[in-house]
Amino acid sequence: MPEGLIVKALSGFYYVQSEGALIQCRGRGVFRKRKQTPLVGDYVEFEAENETDGYVMAIKERKNQLNRPPIANVDQAILVFSAKEPDFHTLLLDRFLVHIEQHDIKPVLVISKTDLLEASERDVLTRQMAVYEQIGYPVLYTSTKQADDPSELLPLLANQVSVIAGQSGVGKSSLLNALAPEAKIETNEISRHLGRGRHTTRHTELLPIGEGLVADTPGFSSLEFTDMEAEDLRFCFPEFLSLMDDCKFRGCLHDKEPKCAIKDAVETGDVDSFRYKHYLQFLHEIQDQKRRY
């Protein structure tokens, strides 16, 4: 039975890339009975009499999956945040990072629209992002209008399945168009009245860019922590990992416990205070959700 990769899902059809051909397939009824849905990024077995009349027969085991956006087997996430319009906020970035870390996906941080910043504003932003670079996250600055070159991202895409995500209106589609003009991704100007952009991407699709595949997605429709336990959150902050064994209590949540190595590291500056503040905010949010349910 032939095998391939689902590169697009649209209106109940799955488009499977196999040996240079793109096969339009439907899913078998058995998937509905099993409450299983093929996803973009899935490696599948299929049957097809021609390129427009095929059926997905089986889904290979996934290494990970995201539900919002719906995609499987992601290697890395390109998280795009604008320097302005909408303004950059570390709290929102950390919320995205927790969701990505939860699925063992490697993040790459891209700050777009840097051409809108004054020199002093860019200095402030650079200092903020230095915290993330010290943690180990790659950080790139791009502009679609001036000298910053988005092609710096191309080497990071090679041999990877990447998802590009971020807040609406930050320039995700513009970045993709700068990387691959032939893709002609639809873009909309940000609504100044609303302070945010409208979603211009309405389905998930893997696009060949450089030597890799990049998913242009409708974006994260939810950034709540409904599927995370409080005990798991600490593992989504990489700067905590080398310190946790020094806490007095093995299951330390780094909140109210005494002799906590993370709290000590915040006091000494080894863990940045704003990251720790965000950790506590997320922790209490998760705990409140569990109490409600």
Side-chain angles (χ1 to χ4, degrees):
M1 190 175 296
E3 299 181 1
L5 172 69
I6 297 179
V7 295
K8 182 168 69 170
L10 183 63
S11 302
F13 290 100
Y14 304 99
Y15 296 83
V16 180
Q17 189 79 49
S18 179
E19 297 183 351
L22 189 64
I23 314 298
Q24 179 178 283
C25 297
R26 292 186 180 272
R28 292 179 61 203
V30 69
F31 293 135
R32 288 192 295 274
K33 293 179 182 178
R34 296 174 183 170
K35 296 183 179 180
Q36 187 179 25
T37 303
L39 297 176
V40 169
D42 272 331
Y43 291 93
V44 298
E45 296 179 354
F46 68 95
E47 290 182 349
E49 294 183 1
N50 53 61
E51 291 188 357
T52 59
D53 189 20
Y55 284 89
V56 175
M57 305 300 291
I59 301 171
K60 301 290 189 178
E61 184 178 357
R62 296 165 178 161
K63 71 176 183 180
N64 59 40
Q65 74 174 75
L66 297 172
N67 295 323
R68 298 179 295 268
I71 188 170
N73 300 313
V74 179
D75 297 311
Q76 66 182 0
I78 312 300
L79 299 182
V80 184
F81 285 78
S82 60
K84 269 191 172 183
E85 296 182 8
D87 292 341
F88 174 74
H89 295 288
T90 57
L91 178 63
L92 184 60
L93 171 55
D94 285 341
R95 189 174 283 270
F96 269 91
L97 283 171
V98 167
H99 281 272
I100 295 304
E101 292 281 1
Q102 181 185 11
H103 293 90
D104 295 320
I105 296 171
K106 179 177 65 176
V108 176
L109 311 184
V110 176
I111 308 299
S112 66
K113 303 186 184 181
T114 54
D115 51 296
L116 301 181
L117 291 178
E118 302 291 340
S120 59
E121 293 174 317
R122 184 157 182 162
D123 288 342
V124 171
L125 178 63
T126 302
R127 287 195 296 272
Q128 287 178 313
M129 298 313 297
V131 173
Y132 294 93
E133 291 179 295
Q134 187 173 6
I135 292 168
Y137 294 130
V139 177
L140 299 177
Y141 300 92
T142 71
S143 165
T144 58
K145 297 180 180 178
Q146 294 185 353
D148 291 337
D149 188 356
S151 65
E152 291 180 17
L153 190 56
L154 284 175
L156 298 176
L157 302 180
N159 304 312
Q160 302 284 300
V161 173
S162 303
V163 59
I164 184 166
Q167 201 177 3
S168 292
V170 298
K172 300 186 296 293
S173 296
S174 295
L175 177 62
L176 282 174
N177 281 329
L179 289 165
E182 68 279 4
K184 297 180 181 178
I185 305 300
E186 180 186 358
T187 61
N188 278 339
E189 290 296 322
I190 189 169
S191 167
R192 294 182 182 275
H193 177 66
L194 294 175
R196 57 184 172 85
R198 295 181 179 179
H199 287 301
T200 55
T201 308
R202 294 175 175 83
H203 67 277
T204 300
E205 180 176 0
L206 285 173
L207 305 172
I209 296 180
E211 299 297 321
L213 293 171
V214 178
D216 186 28
T217 78
F220 285 77
S221 60
S222 174
L223 287 172
E224 296 181 356
F225 303 115
T226 53
D227 59 346
M228 178 176 284
E229 299 296 329
E231 294 77 10
D232 296 330
L233 177 64
R234 52 193 166 157
F235 298 106
C236 297
F237 284 72
E239 66 268 44
F240 290 7
L241 300 181
S242 63
L243 302 171
M244 290 193 299
D245 288 343
D246 295 329
C247 292
K248 179 179 180 180
F249 298 101
R250 186 173 182 179
C252 184
L253 292 180
H254 321 306
D255 184 8
K256 299 175 182 177
E257 299 89 344
K259 297 184 179 179
C260 169
I262 303 303
K263 290 192 288 187
D264 290 344
V266 174
E267 291 294 327
T268 61
D270 292 326
V271 168
D272 196 275
S273 59
F274 80 78
R275 285 271 293 172
Y276 177 65
K277 179 181 178 182
H278 296 166
Y279 165 80
L280 290 180
Q281 182 172 333
F282 301 157
L283 177 67
H284 297 158
E285 182 179 328
I286 293 168
Q287 291 171 330
D288 288 344
Q289 286 174 351
K290 299 303 178 184
R291 281 193 286 267
R292 286 199 300 271
Y293 295 106

